[in-house]
Amino acid sequence: MGYRRVVEDPAPEERQPRSTGWHERGTDEFSRVLAFSDGLFAIAMTLLVVGISLPVLRVAGDEAEMVRALNDLGPQILSFVISFAVIGRYWYAHHSFFAMLRAVDSG
């Protein structure tokens, strides 16, 4: 004859909340993960503009020199626009992905 071990269920006030590691949509933790990732994208997009240097004009108010200086910045501005568009597309895809999530886990 085998012995059976009986474990009593603790009283409700003695029960510890069980942490599953999952954070459902609508919880503060889920919102924090989304806000953190949005912040990373924002920082990356902001840092793109750091690579564009301001033109230095020898004569203030000379429109022709300003046009030449801005024309010299063309490759940097084009690089910024393309990089901004690529990161923006990834950010949009990231938000589309998060729209389908029901929960995130902490592990």
Side-chain angles (χ1 to χ4, degrees):
M1 182 168 161
Y3 291 97
R4 196 173 95 178
R5 184 175 174 191
V6 177
V7 178
E8 292 183 27
D9 192 28
E13 61 273 357
E14 295 175 7
R15 290 185 189 142
Q16 295 293 324
R18 180 183 255 183
S19 174
T20 61
W22 288 93
H23 305 292
E24 299 289 327
R25 175 179 293 286
T27 62
D28 287 342
E29 291 81 9
F30 189 92
S31 298
R32 284 186 190 114
V33 170
L34 184 57
F36 179 75
S37 61
D38 282 347
L40 291 178
F41 278 103
I43 289 169
M45 294 171 102
T46 302
L47 289 176
L48 291 174
V49 80
V50 173
I52 300 175
S53 59
L54 293 175
V56 178
L57 303 178
R58 286 177 265 143
V59 180
D62 186 5
E63 293 177 17
E65 186 180 2
M66 177 61 111
V67 170
R68 279 192 302 276
L70 289 176
N71 195 27
D72 291 342
L73 289 178
Q76 291 178 346
I77 292 172
L78 180 63
S79 174
F80 166 78
V81 169
I82 291 171
S83 299
F84 193 90
V86 168
I87 294 175
R89 178 64 180 107
Y90 275 101
W91 175 77
Y92 181 78
H94 173 75
H95 262 270
S96 298
F97 173 72
F98 257 75
M100 294 185 285
L101 290 180
R102 288 185 297 196
V104 294
D105 68 355
S106 60

